[in-house]
Amino acid sequence: MGVATSRTAYCISKRSFDIVVAAAGLTLGAPLLALAWVAIRLDSTGSPIFAQVRVGTNGRLFTCYKLRTMYAGTSNLPTHQTQKSAVTPLGVHLRRWKIDELPQLYNVLMGDMSLVGPRPCLPSQLGLIRAREQMGVHRVLPGITGLAQVRGID
């Protein structure tokens, strides 16, 4: 088996794994998503789903979905540049337990993301985009979780 063939087989099996786990996660997580949806609606105004344009594989833009954890109208900045007061009281808990990330399983099913990979950045993060291009990171699917999350890096 050649390198190209084994790489293709790896990509197919990784994608298959992503699809199976994402579908199962959405199915099993549906009651939790519904409960969170209602709680967000009761906690603050605005849509329970937060949709944000992110940079994907090879610089392709896609819409990333999350449960809304900040007040409606909060500026479109990276999390580390946003005031802590912008996070709703419920949002603090949704983030702590990573429940806000569940809608990204839909992004995995659509092929915009993988379960594991570098977090997708915002189009405004030009320095990060350039660094990822130089290191070849831009060639892989962004993920819901990855090394940065495991190490606690925002």
Side-chain angles (χ1 to χ4, degrees), residues 8-148:
T8 301
Y10 168 77
C11 290
I12 291 170
S13 64
K14 184 176 188 310
R15 178 73 183 129
S16 299
F17 178 79
D18 282 350
I19 290 170
V20 169
V21 172
L26 282 172
T27 302
L28 296 173
L32 182 59
L33 272 168
L35 182 63
W37 182 286
V38 170
I40 292 167
R41 293 291 297 178
L42 295 174
D43 184 55
S44 61
T45 60
S47 173
I49 293 292
F50 175 68
Q52 187 177 50
V53 174
R54 299 286 182 103
V55 179
T57 307
N58 295 317
R60 187 180 63 80
L61 300 179
F62 72 97
T63 303
C64 183
Y65 299 100
K66 295 178 77 170
L67 289 174
R68 186 175 51 76
T69 59
M70 293 190 224
Y71 290 103
T74 301
S75 56
N76 193 10
L77 296 170
T79 303
H80 67 278
Q81 293 178 355
T82 305
Q83 298 286 333
K84 289 189 186 275
S85 60
V87 179
T88 66
L90 176 62
V92 170
H93 300 293
L94 294 174
R95 286 178 170 199
R96 179 180 305 132
W97 296 101
K98 305 296 185 197
I99 295 168
D100 62 320
E101 308 283 348
L102 284 175
Q104 290 178 28
L105 292 172
Y106 174 78
N107 288 109
V108 172
L109 285 178
M110 294 299 103
D112 293 324
M113 294 178 71
S114 181
L115 294 172
V116 178
R119 289 294 296 158
C121 58
L122 297 171
S124 62
Q125 294 177 292
L126 299 177
L128 179 57
I129 293 168
R130 279 192 294 278
R132 287 181 172 189
E133 287 171 352
Q134 289 173 351
M135 298 177 75
V137 176
H138 70 291
R139 289 179 279 174
V140 300
L141 278 175
I144 294 176
T145 191
L147 188 57

